[in-house]
Amino acid sequence: NLRDQRAVPCLITALQSDTNARVRESSVRALSYFENNAVLPAIVAALEKDQDAEVRTGAAGSLGSLGSKDAIAPLAKALSCDSNESVRAAAAEALGEFDEATATPLLLQTLGTDASADLRVKTISVLGCFEGTNASGTLLSILEKDPSIKVQCAAVKALARPGGYELIPVFRRLLQSPGLPSDVRAEMAPSLLVIGGPEIRPILEDVLIREPDQRVLTEFAEALTGHLDAGRERALPPGPHAITNATVNASTNHAGADPQLVPVLLAMLKVKGGKPDYNSWGSSGSGESGLLSAVIDLLGRLDDKRAAPDLLAILKNDPDSSKRKAAARSLGLLGGPAALQALVTALGKDEAE
């Protein structure tokens, strides 16, 4: 430790005696940088006794930084007993600096007793940083029963981990439940993508076929696009590619698609008579524009030639450059003479503009 230990007594004195709370807060945070036997008791005393919540919050953070096992009991007490929510949240975050076996039971206890939804969200996010599954049962219960939507969303995020295949049937069941809030359904899309595996594709497709909410549809379209892209990357041979992207697209993405999916996606594009239906798009907000771009991107990955006419119409006639760009990407994946000619024409048109 290269820091001057002579600063420690001065900082402790300021922490214990200065009448200005901000000076005490700065002092308690600064003490976490020193390895000194007097530091830990001084910070614990500040956590337990200082009248200012920001000082106590700083003390909790400093105890987490020190990482001493002697800090666990004071942090657990602050987590369960401090009257200030910010202090309790700082204590939860500090406990996340310790090993999972030690911290998880203390954090789980808070989930069952604290009335603050924000604190439950913070606690869940800390639990989600651990690699193990000790908290999975409690998090699943929270996902299904907690009255707060943001707490349910936090539980979805915390549960998601690569290879967590045991969660897929649970997510499928919950997504089929009519009472699940749309925000929670939307959060499940990126979480399923994190879990991965071929089993998530039918779930993503099923939601896209029957879901009415625009935000949920956008999240699931983007998740399915990401899932299919990951499959394409795995299918590409190493070194100089002997096959085209379109060939890989066709070999990996079209097979196994729900036959209802592409017609449902094409209906979302609102192309009529070979042209985008501007009247039906005229009242759409940014949410619908984002959904349409996500759907256009997805159609290219599905490698279904039924999408080509509508994608061509969007590329040629849509006033929204983000949708034209998405259509160009998807046509490039679909391939074919008509797509190539449309891309060349669109390139010349955009250069002229």
Side-chain angles (χ1 to χ4, degrees), residues 43-122:
I43 296 177
V44 169
L47 176 63
E48 294 177 341
K49 299 176 181 178
D50 200 287
Q51 296 300 305
D52 186 88
E54 293 187 31
V55 176
R56 300 199 304 278
T57 298
S62 290
L63 289 176
S65 298
L66 288 174
S68 169
K69 291 185 177 181
D70 292 331
I72 294 173
L75 286 170
K77 180 180 178 182
L79 178 60
S80 61
C81 300
D82 199 285
S83 60
N84 184 276
E85 183 179 316
S86 296
V87 178
R88 300 199 303 277
E93 190 167 0
L95 284 168
E97 299 295 328
F98 295 89
D99 64 275
E100 180 177 357
T102 299
T104 297
L106 301 172
L107 294 167
L108 290 177
Q109 184 177 358
T110 299
L111 288 177
T113 58
D114 203 290
S116 167
D118 287 337
L119 183 64
R120 297 201 301 279
V121 168
K122 167 61 74 175

Side-chain angles (χ1 to χ4, degrees), residues 269-272 276-284 288:
L269 296 184
K270 305 177 183 177
V271 175
K272 297 180 180 178
D277 184 358
Y278 301 121
N279 290 329
S280 65
W281 282 350
S283 60
S284 68
E288 184 164 356

Side-chain angles (χ1 to χ4, degrees), residues 171-189 192 202-222 258 260-261 263-265 267-268 288 291 295 298:
F171 278 23
R172 180 190 292 113
R173 174 176 58 80
L174 290 172
L175 283 165
Q176 293 171 347
S177 170
L180 192 70
S182 61
D183 285 351
V184 182
R185 296 200 305 277
E187 195 61 59
M188 286 189 171
L192 283 166
I203 302 176
L204 298 173
E205 292 183 352
D206 180 63
V207 172
L208 285 167
I209 290 168
R210 62 180 177 77
E211 173 64 45
D213 185 89
Q214 285 186 8
R215 184 191 165 208
V216 177
L217 286 169
T218 302
E219 293 288 344
F220 274 79
E222 291 176 349
D258 191 304
Q260 300 179 66
L261 180 60
V264 168
L265 295 176
M268 295 181 194
E288 184 164 356
L291 169 60
V295 168
L298 175 56

Side-chain angles (χ1 to χ4, degrees), residues 22-46:
R22 301 292 71 78
V23 173
R24 301 199 304 277
E25 180 190 358
S26 296
S27 299
V28 79
R29 293 185 185 278
L31 283 168
S32 66
Y33 295 108
F34 292 89
E35 295 179 5
N36 187 297
N37 292 335
V39 166
L40 181 66
I43 296 177
V44 169

